[in-house]
Amino acid sequence: MKKLLLPTLLATCALFSAQAQDKLSGHLYTGWLFPQNDFIHSDYEGNKPNLAVGAGIGYQIAPSLTLRGDFMAGNMDGNHEIYYYETSLYEAKLGLDFNVIKLFNKDYEKIKLNIHVAPGMMYYSARMYDIDTREKLVESPIPGDKALSLNFILAYGGSVGIALSPKLDLNLGYSNRFVDEVERMDANK
């Protein structure tokens, strides 16, 4: 089997979030995961959408800079002619959001243009099956070894936020993941 097309990318996530605008803020988000591997289809019987949900908290440490912690959970799957895989993943990260608009106008609050970077850890379990017989062929981590596999990640991306009220933003963004050692993310070496 082909190796993953990375090594710089595992999944991307288009984010929708609502976020308060005070120093301390909370946010909820959901998005689609786009695996970057050789399982390019998602048309096997029983496939699930590649979705993620997350929540986090932020603290504004400067007018244009927010420290942000997030937890995300999601499902990822795909197939080709012979095999399909299913991966459940959980992610915890701590990073920074930088509002670029504050460089040009410190008082403008209606629109935000954020750039973010966040290191973190991804925990996952992956299973690969024969597409015809549905027989489980391999899984990661190996049963009995540990409950979840662990990978370092570096998430980076950007978002555009629109103020719906003085305390609530709606954001649309994109986040990419650099994942180190992704050999088993789709249960395939």
Side-chain angles (χ1 to χ4, degrees):
M1 293 211 160
K2 290 183 180 178
K3 290 187 178 182
L4 293 177
L5 295 178
L6 297 169
T8 60
L9 171 68
L10 162 67
T12 57
C13 190
L15 302 176
F16 299 96
S17 70
Q19 178 173 337
Q21 293 179 3
D22 279 342
K23 290 228 181 249
L24 189 61
S25 62
H27 46 273
L28 302 171
Y29 58 92
T30 187
W32 295 275
L33 298 173
F34 300 100
Q36 302 294 311
N37 57 29
D38 58 345
F39 293 85
I40 58 173
H41 305 289
S42 283
D43 57 1
Y44 67 93
E45 187 177 327
N47 77 313
K48 300 175 193 99
N50 290 344
L51 292 177
V53 295
I57 191 164
Y59 184 77
Q60 186 178 27
I61 55 179
S64 60
L65 196 61
T66 302
L67 180 66
R68 184 173 149 169
D70 288 292
F71 179 78
M72 182 187 79
N75 253 353
M76 211 168 51
D77 63 16
N79 67 282
H80 55 52
E81 294 75 27
I82 303 171
Y83 307 113
Y84 72 93
Y85 78 96
E86 297 176 336
T87 300
S88 299
L89 55 95
Y90 310 93
E91 177 182 281
K93 61 187 194 286
L94 182 64
L96 294 171
D97 279 2
F98 181 74
N99 184 356
V100 177
I101 289 181
K102 293 286 186 181
L103 291 173
F104 306 106
N105 187 344
K106 293 184 188 233
D107 299 323
Y108 192 71
E109 295 290 333
K110 292 182 180 179
I111 295 177
K112 292 182 179 178
L113 180 59
N114 290 320
I115 296 171
H116 67 266
V117 62
M121 299 303 286
M122 180 181 291
Y123 304 86
Y124 65 91
S125 64
R127 294 151 313 281
M128 182 185 291
Y129 301 90
D130 182 286
I131 202 163
D132 294 323
T133 66
R134 300 227 181 254
E135 178 184 350
K136 186 184 331 178
L137 302 173
V138 66
E139 61 186 301
S140 176
I142 298 168
D145 189 24
K146 53 187 171 178
L148 295 168
S149 293
L150 175 67
N151 280 97
F152 168 77
I153 64 160
L154 180 61
Y156 54 93
S159 66
V160 175
I162 299 169
L164 299 177
S165 75
K167 301 283 186 185
L168 185 67
D169 289 352
L170 179 64
N171 293 290
L172 175 60
Y174 172 84
S175 183
N176 202 32
R177 268 83 170 144
F178 167 83
V179 183
D180 192 30
E181 299 292 323
V182 293
E183 294 261 322
R184 300 281 183 184
M185 183 57 81
D186 56 9
N188 181 30
K189 194 167 190 162

